[in-house]
Amino acid sequence: KNQVEQSPQSLIILEGKNCTLQCNYTVSPFSNLRWYKQDTGRGPVSLTIMTFSENTKSNGRYTATLDADTKQSSLHITASQLSDSASYICVVSDRGSTLGRLYFGRGTQLTVWP
Amino acid sequence: EADIYQTPRYLVIGTGKKITLECSQTMGHDKMYWYQQDPGMELHLIHYSYGVNSTEKGDLSSESTVSRIRTEHFPLTLESARPSHTSQYLCAITTGDFADTQYFGPGTRLTVL
């Protein structure tokens, strides 16, 4: 069964600290993996996207890694800010085309305290 | 990026009412989607469209219906709302790049009393 599991479910950190969010998937075949940030009451916004051949991708203070062999991805946030408080969603595509499906994780709820 | 508009942003209505959630985009993208998301849960695809007069049901069974008469608009309708329909509804488009990245609208938070 194609699934996307994220951990932890929720996380609280202090402003300025780093954190790492995890995503494990069983989706096959695999086309690409994306991380989205979803602020409360808003739609998700894409942070990074990685294909099978990529093992790291950065977007400012966000760095995503992908190990396609172990089917694991992580999102590392450096020097966290209050505005980083949001839900971070891992999404895996099985074909990345018109016929492809997207599999969504439940997200990690990150709270950054001052 | 893509400009996707959803109205209303928040809606509280009574059981049995008919409602239409609006989704519009100004860039002429063919592929549009509706997702349903409960708090703390993953997004579930309920409808999608690949162009005018094209609509398909998604992975999650939904009592809602959609139409695509014009490229710019993809409204979702509930003929008779029930408390079980309380959820957040997100509209999305894909721009047709190699990875078909989805861009989401701000969502409509629906509460049925």
Side-chain angles (χ1 to χ4, degrees):
Chain A
K1 181 180 179 182
N2 290 326
Q3 286 184 314
V4 177
E5 301 287 343
Q6 292 188 242
S7 63
Q9 183 176 349
S10 62
L11 180 64
I12 299 174
I13 62 173
L14 294 177
E15 186 179 14
K17 298 296 185 181
N18 304 335
C19 67
T20 300
L21 314 180
Q22 299 291 340
C23 173
N24 297 336
Y25 62 92
T26 59
V27 177
S28 181
F30 171 85
S31 176
N32 57 71
L33 184 147
R34 319 150 200 243
W35 283 94
Y36 282 88
K37 178 186 179 187
Q38 185 177 22
D39 292 316
T40 301
R42 307 290 296 181
V45 175
S46 179
L47 293 175
T48 64
I49 180 169
M50 289 180 292
T51 60
F52 183 88
S53 60
E54 298 174 294
N55 55 25
T56 187
K57 183 71 70 75
S58 291
N59 178 2
R61 294 180 296 103
Y62 302 102
T63 299
T65 64
L66 173 65
D67 186 333
D69 292 331
T70 62
K71 298 187 177 182
Q72 296 179 324
S73 176
S74 66
L75 180 69
H76 185 75
I77 304 175
T78 304
S80 61
Q81 300 175 358
L82 299 179
S83 60
D84 292 332
S85 295
S87 178
Y88 292 83
I89 303 172
C90 178
V91 183
V92 179
S93 174
D94 62 1
R95 288 182 182 86
S97 66
T98 299
L99 299 177
R101 265 207 60 175
L102 297 182
Y103 296 87
F104 290 81
R106 293 187 176 185
T108 291
Q109 184 64 48
L110 175 66
T111 303
V112 181
W113 282 1
Chain B
E1 295 294 331
D3 292 327
I4 307 167
Y5 306 95
Q6 288 189 244
T7 57
R9 291 294 317 283
Y10 303 92
L11 180 61
V12 180
I13 61 169
T15 297
K17 299 293 185 181
K18 177 181 179 179
I19 61 168
T20 297
L21 308 184
E22 299 288 349
C23 175
S24 61
Q25 47 105 358
T26 60
M27 302 298 289
H29 299 295
D30 289 326
K31 301 175 189 174
M32 299 186 74
Y33 308 79
W34 276 104
Y35 289 87
Q36 184 175 341
Q37 184 184 30
D38 293 326
M41 302 296 287
E42 64 267 48
L43 280 74
H44 290 286
L45 180 67
I46 52 175
H47 298 284
Y48 62 96
S49 168
Y50 288 158
V52 172
N53 294 325
S54 157
T55 61
E56 301 288 343
K57 290 187 178 297
D59 307 316
L60 181 68
S61 176
S62 174
E63 294 169 347
S64 59
T65 59
V66 293
S67 62
R68 192 82 183 277
I69 299 174
R70 293 169 54 186
T71 299
E72 300 79 19
H73 298 287
F74 190 37
L76 181 146
T77 299
L78 278 165
E79 290 293 332
S80 180
R82 297 204 302 267
S84 61
H85 296 139
T86 295
S87 189
Q88 171 151 299
Y89 293 85
L90 291 161
C91 180
I93 62 99
T94 54
T95 58
D97 61 8
F98 79 99
D100 259 357
T101 300
Q102 292 206 329
Y103 296 92
F104 290 85
T108 293
R109 171 75 62 185
L110 173 65
T111 301
V112 184
L113 303 176

